[in-house]
Amino acid sequence: SQAAAPAENAVTQADFENAIAVGNVEGLRTLLAGLSDAERVAIEASPDGSQRLALARRSVEADAVLGKAIKAKDWAAAVQHASALATLLPSSRQAQQARETAAAALEAEAEALVHQGQTDAALAKLQTLQRAWPDRTGLDARLAGLHTAREADQRLGATLAVAEAAEKERRPE
């Protein structure tokens, strides 16, 4: 009798390394789902195998949480989860696109709040984005513009309050 040869379609550490290298979350999900106990043991026994499997699991979990945030249109959470996934899989175009989409949605929400006169709420949205993606192009300028607008609103409010008080003092009772 012959020793058991590895199956021709056996999942190997190289399969995981390739999917990780290109940032293929769906590929990692498929590999993990189809992984037999014998394949898992063989991969874990190889150099860096356990780390590759752990990275694959974390990436798939991060993608699942990201998907829920996007479905719920929770853009702040989506930016955070997409950033986490992009950190795990820097080559993942999916993570980069999800982060871009969520960031643009947060910026649009902030813009709508500004138009409604809710500068503080808009500022809070952009600060959430800044925490999740500090090097987002154009974000510093947007934040600076909002700070300037808020300060102008506060100065205007103070000026109006002073004018109103002066008007009251001039009126005879």
Side-chain angles (χ1 to χ4, degrees):
S1 96
Q2 189 176 4
E8 288 200 20
N9 60 351
V11 176
T12 66
Q13 181 174 342
D15 295 326
F16 281 94
E17 288 172 354
N18 291 336
I20 289 167
V22 298
N24 183 350
V25 180
E26 287 306 315
L28 291 172
R29 181 176 287 115
T30 301
L31 288 169
L32 285 170
L35 194 62
S36 72
D37 288 343
E39 291 165 338
R40 182 186 47 76
V41 168
I43 292 169
E44 287 174 346
S46 63
D48 296 327
S50 293
Q51 291 87 342
R52 294 284 179 248
L53 286 176
L55 176 58
R57 285 187 195 103
R58 286 195 316 272
S59 299
V60 168
E61 289 164 6
D63 182 61
V65 176
L66 169 60
K68 289 178 184 172
I70 290 171
K71 188 173 184 178
K73 296 188 186 314
D74 182 349
W75 303 120
V79 170
Q80 291 172 338
H81 296 305
S83 294
L85 183 57
T87 299
L88 291 169
L89 297 176
S91 299
S92 173
R93 294 185 73 173
Q94 177 187 346
Q96 293 164 7
Q97 289 172 341
R99 182 166 69 169
E100 178 61 42
T101 298
L106 263 181
E107 290 166 344
E109 288 177 354
E111 189 67 28
L113 288 166
V114 167
H115 289 299
Q116 296 166 11
Q118 299 178 33
T119 310
D120 287 343
L123 199 53
K125 291 242 183 234
L126 292 183
Q127 287 168 335
T128 298
L129 176 55
Q130 185 180 42
R131 283 190 295 278
W133 193 1
D135 55 346
R136 166 99 168 132
T137 302
L139 183 57
D140 288 341
R142 275 193 166 96
L143 282 164
L146 269 182
H147 281 296
T148 301
R150 190 170 97 183
E151 289 165 7
D153 287 347
Q154 289 170 344
R155 283 193 304 274
L156 177 61
T159 301
L160 291 174
V162 167
E164 188 176 317
E167 184 66 28
K168 284 181 182 174
E169 285 180 18
R170 277 191 246 155
R171 280 191 211 138
E173 301 262 338

